[in-house]
Amino acid sequence: MKVYIARERSGINAKGEFDPTTRSLTVLQGSVLSVSIAYTEKFRGAKSIEKSREGVVKGNILQRDVTFKSASTAANFVTGTSTNGLTAWKDKNGKTIKELIAEAEA
């Protein structure tokens, strides 16, 4: 299913494809990612974001699709900071992945 993260202040505008079966999320080519990555003591994922952006991000535009094992890892990659992917990614109607999973399981 198609999902999105958009944040006006930081210029983030990312598109993704969430697979409810594997719970993996593919961030799609052309997505606009955050310019910065948060390097704080609490957030230990900064280095892995840096590494996963190498060779696939020019400026702050994703050059090819990148698949992650979880929605949160994909959200961290896009936002450059610790982000709950189940609530950050939303479908075109504004429903979070968490809400969509709950509906599917009901």
Side-chain angles (χ1 to χ4, degrees), residues 12-92:
I12 296 168
N13 189 0
K15 294 177 225 46
E17 189 70 44
F18 179 70
D19 182 337
T21 310
T22 62
R23 301 233 171 150
S24 65
L25 196 145
T26 301
V27 182
L28 302 177
Q29 177 182 349
S31 291
V32 180
L33 313 183
S34 70
V35 176
S36 60
I37 296 173
Y39 292 91
T40 63
E41 258 184 61
K42 279 188 177 176
F43 181 56
R44 293 186 297 256
K47 286 257 188 270
S48 66
I49 291 172
E50 202 174 271
K51 204 173 191 174
S52 57
R53 285 186 176 190
E54 275 177 25
V56 295
V57 177
K58 270 196 183 138
N60 55 331
I61 312 288
L62 189 59
Q63 301 300 305
R64 64 174 173 84
D65 296 355
V66 181
T67 302
F68 295 91
K69 290 180 183 171
S70 80
S72 290
T73 306
N76 293 350
F77 174 78
V78 167
T79 64
T81 189
S82 181
T83 307
N84 181 339
L86 294 178
T87 56
W89 290 101
K90 297 178 181 177
D91 72 1
K92 67 181 189 305

